[in-house]
């Protein structure tokens, strides 16, 4: 199949999933066309089967806001015609599903029919999409998609609760390339980060308020009072400066390593003992799955899709949002006893196996095939 993929190219779960999906589909023989405003961060390979088409928005002084969705829909029309793209898979409703629908309508005028598969990722529904300002456009885009998927059952429930949805929604969970997290390499440079007697705690996110990164600091502060430990803090975002200031106030700046954005999180996770994800909401929690795939147990909140990924008492623990004491207690339970830690590490890796890309990517292929078949009948 010739598949067009639209996503946000920046660091963020939806872009990562879309990129990994495209790369795996290309290995399975499909021709993939990424259409977005920057080369996706994890898209290192451009090959015969993988193409990247940049959407540029010409600056025009009359426009107070440059019309990205207009540029995207025009680019989609051009690329579908030029490359014979058969199906468009758009990740994140706003504005991708909306722009794809416009492209589909323009193409129909020329008797070209391209179905749209929309994957909802979380904040496009729970935070941004449900805002009264966007709600009509998001509802319309979901209802006009030829197939709709969500990355967790919880996100499907949220979508049906928050919007007036007439379409079926299929849950296709996020996935992981387990081979990438199979730490065959021996340069797992733990010694550079911490002493042998120190435990390594890690947090990775885009440091937006929804990630509640101050809770990461509070839990780590409590942990390091009880056990020698270091915190690996990975990501860039609006909360970073406040976090640095708080670490200084608490006198733990020397115990926290700030990495900024990293494309090598597997290398950091390979020497981590525990992952903290105290988010306010999380439709899935791809970062938690990446940690688990590396054999790192997870202390997370129990919101959204997190209980579908992190299994309480098995791969880690779940707590109510903001319950620092409970998160600390659970973290210490895992870290204080080496045998316990080993059990949780093994369990985390085993639970991650459920999300192996070889099991999940065929579900998308089946959706593309069904959607194309249904559209031929119409
Ligand atoms: O979590 C983020 O800040 C980024 C956001 C995105 O759209 O890139 O992530 C959402 O999609 C990920 C991939 O499906 C999910 O793993 C995240 O849980 C989800 N984030 C939220 O729901 C807050």
């Amino acid at each position: 199949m010739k598949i067009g993929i639209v996503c946000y190219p920046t660091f963020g779960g939806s872009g990562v999933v879309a990129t990994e999906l495209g790369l795996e589909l290309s290995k399975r023989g499909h021709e993939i066309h990424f259409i977005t405003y920057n080369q996706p961060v994890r898209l290192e390979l451009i090959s015969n089967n993988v193409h990247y088409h940049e959407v540029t928005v010409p600056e025009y002084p009359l426009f107070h806001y440059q019309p990205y969705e207009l540029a995207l829909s025009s680019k989609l029309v051009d690329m579908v015609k030029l490359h014979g793209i058969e199906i468009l898979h758009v990740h994140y409703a706003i504005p991708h599903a909306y722009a794809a629908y416009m492209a589909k309508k323009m193409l129909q005028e020329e008797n070209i029919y391209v179905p749209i598969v929309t994957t909802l990722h979380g904040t496009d529904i729970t935070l941004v999409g449900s805002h009264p300002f966007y709600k009509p456009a998001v509802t319309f885009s979901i209802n006009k998609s030829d197939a709709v998927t969500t990355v967790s059952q919880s996100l499907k429930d949220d979508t049906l609760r928050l919007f007036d949805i007439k379409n079926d929604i299929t849950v296709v969970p996020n996935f992981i390339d387990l081979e990438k997290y199979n730490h065959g390499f021996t340069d797992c440079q733990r010694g550079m980060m911490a002493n042998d007697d120190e435990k390594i705690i890690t947090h990775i996110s885009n440091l937006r308020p929804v990630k509640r990164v101050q809770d990461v600091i509070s839990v780590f502060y409590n942990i390091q009072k009880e056990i020698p430990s270091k915190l690996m803090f990975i990501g860039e975002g609006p909360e970073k400066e406040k976090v640095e200031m708080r670490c200084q106030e608490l006198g733990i700046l020397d115990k926290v390593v700030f990495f900024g954005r990293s494309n090598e999180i597997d290398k950091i996770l390979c020497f981590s003992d525990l992952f903290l994800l105290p988010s306010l909401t999380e439709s899935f929690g791809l970062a938690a799955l990446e940690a688990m795939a590396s054999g790192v147990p997870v202390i997370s909140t129990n919101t959204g899709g997190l209980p579908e990924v992190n299994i309480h008492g098995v791969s880690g623990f779940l707590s109510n949002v903001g319950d620092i004491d409970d998160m600390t207690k659970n973290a210490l339970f895992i870290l204080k006893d080496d045998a316990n830690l080993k059990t949780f590490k093994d369990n985390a890796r085993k639970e991650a196996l459920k999300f192996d890309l070889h099991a999940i990517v065929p579900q998308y292929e089946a959706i593309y095939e069904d959607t194309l078949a249904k559209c031929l009948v119409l």
Side-chain angles (χ1 to χ4, degrees), residues 20 83 85 185:
E20 304 278 358
H83 298 284
I85 292 170
F185 55 88

Side-chain angles (χ1 to χ4, degrees), residues 42-104:
R42 288 206 190 167
L43 184 64
E44 281 140 18
L45 174 94
I46 305 278
S47 70
N48 281 349
N49 262 0
V50 181
H51 308 266
Y52 160 62
H53 313 290
E54 191 161 300
V55 181
T56 46
V57 188
E59 292 273 330
Y60 186 60
L62 183 71
F63 297 145
H64 183 56
Y65 300 106
Q66 303 305 316
Y68 177 64
E69 49 274 47
L70 205 65
L72 175 60
S73 51
S74 292
K75 187 80 181 182
L76 289 174
V77 168
D78 289 347
M79 292 304 105
V80 166
K81 282 161 64 178
L82 190 65
H83 298 284
I85 292 170
E86 294 157 89
I87 191 158
L88 289 173
H89 187 174
V90 299
H91 293 258
Y92 214 86
I94 305 169
H96 298 157
Y98 192 74
Y101 177 74
M102 285 312 297
K104 176 176 153 172

Side-chain angles (χ1 to χ4, degrees), residues 63-342:
F63 297 145
H64 183 56
Y65 300 106
Q66 303 305 316
Y68 177 64
E69 49 274 47
L70 205 65
L72 175 60
S73 51
S74 292
K75 187 80 181 182
L76 289 174
V77 168
D78 289 347
M79 292 304 105
V80 166
K81 282 161 64 178
L82 190 65
H83 298 284
I85 292 170
E86 294 157 89
I87 191 158
L88 289 173
H89 187 174
V90 299
H91 293 258
Y92 214 86
I94 305 169
H96 298 157
Y98 192 74
Y101 177 74
M102 285 312 297
K104 176 176 153 172
K105 284 307 206 193
M106 286 188 261
L107 287 160
Q108 261 175 14
E109 294 291 310
E110 300 183 50
N111 294 321
I112 300 169
Y113 196 86
V114 180
I116 301 162
V117 176
T118 297
T119 291
L120 305 174
H121 278 273
T123 43
D124 46 354
I125 293 301
T126 51
L127 297 183
V128 190
S130 58
H131 191 284
F133 195 76
Y134 292 114
K135 209 167 172 173
V138 173
T139 310
F140 177 83
S141 310
I142 295 174
N143 283 332
K144 290 292 177 188
S145 297
D146 297 283
V148 181
T149 75
T150 57
V151 298
S152 63
Q153 180 62 43
S154 151
L155 183 59
K156 175 176 175 174
D157 297 343
D158 283 342
T159 309
L160 295 175
R161 183 172 48 81
L162 293 166
F163 300 86
D164 183 16
I165 299 301
K166 313 274 184 237
N167 239 337
D168 286 340
I169 298 181
T170 308
V171 177
V172 182
N174 286 335
F175 54 84
I176 194 137
D177 182 356
L178 287 158
E179 274 152 40
K180 247 172 88 189
Y181 292 83
N182 224 341
H183 297 125
F185 55 88
T186 48
D187 66 342
C188 185
Q189 295 165 346
R190 192 183 203 285
M192 280 172 61
M193 295 299 154
N195 300 327
D196 284 353
D197 67 329
E198 286 176 319
K199 294 287 187 271
I200 298 187
I201 325 293
T202 297
H203 171 78
I204 305 172
S205 76
N206 48 22
L207 314 189
R208 286 183 300 145
V210 70
K211 303 293 173 182
R212 291 184 66 98
V213 282
Q214 293 294 349
D215 289 1
V216 172
I217 303 306
S218 302
V219 174
F220 174 70
Y221 179 71
N222 291 343
I223 294 173
Q224 58 83 46
K225 282 197 284 186
E226 302 268 335
I227 345 178
S229 42
K230 286 266 167 67
L231 175 64
M232 308 291 127
F233 200 87
I234 298 121
E236 289 293 339
E239 296 293 293
K240 187 166 180 188
E241 214 176 299
K242 281 183 241 161
V243 164
E244 284 169 327
M245 278 159 64
R246 177 108 185 283
C247 289
Q248 192 168 30
E249 276 160 30
L250 293 170
I252 55 169
L253 211 45
D254 58 329
K255 294 184 181 178
V256 183
V257 184
F258 290 94
F259 278 92
R261 289 195 186 103
S262 173
N263 238 344
E264 298 193 313
I265 55 162
D266 47 331
K267 295 199 175 146
I268 298 164
L269 287 169
C270 98
F271 52 62
S272 301
D273 294 302
L274 194 72
F275 189 79
L276 299 180
L277 194 62
S279 308
L280 174 67
T281 173
E282 203 69 68
S283 70
F284 182 89
L286 187 65
L289 176 59
E290 291 181 328
M292 286 161 57
S294 284
V296 183
V298 174
I299 295 295
S300 71
T301 44
N302 53 13
T303 51
L306 280 168
E308 295 170 49
V309 181
N310 181 24
I311 308 302
H312 189 68
V314 179
S315 56
F317 286 102
L318 303 160
S319 304
N320 291 331
V321 173
D323 194 342
I324 306 298
D325 290 345
D326 196 52
M327 289 186 236
T328 305
K329 182 190 86 200
N330 293 333
L332 291 173
F333 176 78
I334 294 176
L335 292 173
K336 268 190 165 168
D337 179 90
D338 279 348
N340 225 6
L341 177 59
K342 183 171 179 332

